[in-house]
Amino acid sequence: MSAAAARPAPDPVAEGPAAHRAGFVAIVGLPGAGKSTLLNRLVGRRLAIVTGKPQTTRRRILGIARRPGVEIVLLDTPGVHRPKTRLGHAMMRAVGESLGGADVALAVVDAALPFSDASSGLLRRVARFPGPRVIGLNKADVASPRRISELAAIYRAREAGEVVVFSARTGAGIASGVRTGAGIASGEGVGGAAPLVEVLRRSLPFSPPLYEEGQITDLPEAFFASELVRERMLRNLRQEVPHAAAVRIEEYDDSRDLVRVEASVLLDRDSQRGIVIGRRGRMLKRIGTEARRALEKRLRRRVFLGLQVKVRRRWRDNPGILRDLGLDA
Ligand SMILES: Nc1nc2c(ncn2[C@@H]2O[C@H](COP(=O)(O)OP(=O)(O)OP(=O)(O)O)[C@@H](O)[C@H]2O)c(=O)[nH]1
Ligand SMILES: [Mg+2]
């Protein structure tokens, strides 16, 4: 990934309809701020799983958004938190590395929540970013206008970056030309301000496209299969259990009509096994069926999904397993 410093600074004279821009935007923020929802919204595909539970995203997820004259390479990252396990440290490293390789830092903030110590910590981190910084006040569909102005004033006073207000869920304030029911015309951004895509576009360097047309990510299909299983676990199980779970793809064969996926659900403790399997295997069956359907929808093909539950004590601190999972390079 090329560093921002390697490219020439934008030349206003050269700017015109013909001047193409491209570059990397690191999306960072506290857990649950809506980073992955925003990635999916901008790319126009469900690349990252989204749940109501914090720390859903565990690694960097690259997604490419194209608009006339610009290629925005987005790096969705895990929510910033104080790590307690080796996995947590790897997640925070993914945040640092994404920022390290980015041209623009986009901090996503849940604008329905008050400014907190955690927000302050995030801000300190973003302040060290050498390139253009954008503060995205997200969830404008549910945040009160008073809270939004209060937060906007705080971030502006700290010169944190250009403040943009939007809703990743409804699309308001994100791109031009879409009017939503959320009270914000997205073509204008909020209060006549530029929408997010326009702010990102003009923050990126002049450059021809970096990726082949049609490519939207650099991750393999097997990764998305494992994430869909994890998403179904996060949605069906209580807090602690899915956080202690990982999904490892043992076999992924799409060479025939029926795509064949064999996956293991890795758990931290024996006591979690019964919860994941459920009475008469009902929970595991439900997770498997929902994940298979989601996968079939994604691939537009029929899928066989085999799931096995395995206990790997303290896997979150096991470098070998983390490496297998692609979580600790
Ligand atoms: N109302 C509303 N909810 C949103 C919006 N964006 C995201 N959400 C919800 O917020 C929750 C968290 O969204 P994610 O996109 O998973 O958040 P994240 O920042 O990626 O979370 P981590 O990966 O855990 O750091 C989900 O329930 C989303 O549906 C928004 O614009 N409006
Ligand atoms: Mg996420």
Side-chain angles (χ1 to χ4, degrees):
M1 198 180 296
S2 58
R7 298 223 205 97
D11 171 6
V13 180
E15 192 159 9
H20 190 276
R21 293 175 186 251
F24 293 90
V25 176
I27 309 176
V28 299
L30 302 180
K35 300 176 292 297
S36 299
T37 307
L38 180 65
L39 172 84
N40 294 343
R41 163 73 57 186
L42 287 167
V43 176
R45 282 282 298 278
R46 276 198 46 181
L47 286 181
I49 58 168
V50 168
T51 77
K53 299 195 170 76
Q55 287 164 44
T56 292
T57 306
R58 283 181 173 163
R59 54 160 297 162
R60 187 209 75 168
I61 299 175
L62 183 147
I64 302 161
R66 295 184 181 84
R67 299 289 187 281
V70 65
E71 179 193 70
I72 309 171
V73 186
L74 299 147
L75 306 169
D76 180 20
T77 63
V80 170
H81 67 284
R82 217 181 280 277
K84 294 192 194 79
T85 59
R86 204 179 169 102
L87 168 64
H89 282 283
M91 286 161 67
M92 293 308 93
R93 232 178 8 259
V95 177
E97 285 168 6
S98 298
L99 280 169
D103 300 286
V104 177
L106 168 57
V108 173
V109 173
D110 183 340
L113 300 175
F115 192 84
S116 63
D117 287 348
S119 325
S120 232
L122 175 72
L123 204 51
R124 276 198 298 279
R125 190 161 191 159
V126 172
R128 291 199 296 269
F129 185 77
R133 298 183 301 259
V134 180
I135 305 294
L137 300 184
N138 185 31
K139 308 200 186 181
D141 55 316
V142 289
S144 73
R146 213 175 119 214
R147 172 84 70 205
I148 293 175
S149 349
E150 192 183 289
L151 289 172
I154 294 173
Y155 286 102
R156 285 200 184 104
R158 297 185 182 212
E159 295 181 359
E162 182 163 356
V163 175
V164 187
V165 182
F166 55 80
S167 165
R169 180 175 281 179
T170 68
I174 302 248
S176 34
V178 190
R179 207 158 264 277
T180 75
I184 310 160
S186 58
E188 300 151 10
V190 171
L196 177 65
V197 165
E198 175 50 24
V199 172
L200 295 179
R201 190 195 66 82
R202 64 166 129 84
S203 305
L204 287 170
F206 290 106
S207 158
L210 306 167
Y211 288 84
E212 263 175 52
E213 211 175 317
Q215 186 177 353
I216 57 164
T217 187
D218 63 349
L219 289 161
E221 273 307 325
F223 167 75
F224 297 106
S226 71
E227 287 291 88
L228 285 176
V229 176
R230 205 161 62 78
E231 180 183 64
R232 294 340 296 179
M233 293 185 60
L234 279 156
R235 294 205 174 182
N236 282 300
L237 298 166
R238 278 180 304 118
Q239 200 81 16
E240 328 75 76
V241 180
H243 277 117
V247 179
R248 189 169 67 196
I249 300 295
E250 311 290 359
E251 190 192 323
Y252 187 96
D253 179 4
D254 60 1
S255 64
R256 284 163 235 234
D257 282 354
L258 180 73
V259 179
R260 196 185 156 79
V261 185
E262 292 284 354
S264 302
V265 173
L266 307 185
L267 298 173
D268 213 35
R269 275 181 275 135
D270 287 318
S271 58
Q272 293 156 350
R273 186 192 277 273
I275 300 169
V276 172
I277 294 174
R279 270 222 290 179
R280 298 204 195 124
R282 270 194 223 131
M283 180 53 83
L284 188 65
K285 185 149 194 216
R286 186 201 290 181
I287 291 166
T289 306
E290 289 182 8
R292 174 180 53 77
R293 288 204 184 118
L295 201 51
E296 287 182 332
K297 208 169 140 197
R298 179 188 170 80
L299 299 171
R300 295 205 193 101
R301 286 172 69 178
R302 284 207 311 125
V303 173
F304 167 85
L305 172 64
L307 283 184
Q308 264 197 46
V309 177
K310 293 177 183 167
V311 177
R312 292 288 178 273
R313 246 172 273 267
R314 287 170 52 89
W315 67 265
R316 283 175 288 187
D317 285 311
N318 182 321
I321 294 182
L322 290 173
R323 235 186 338 267
D324 274 0
L325 292 166
L327 294 174
D328 195 10

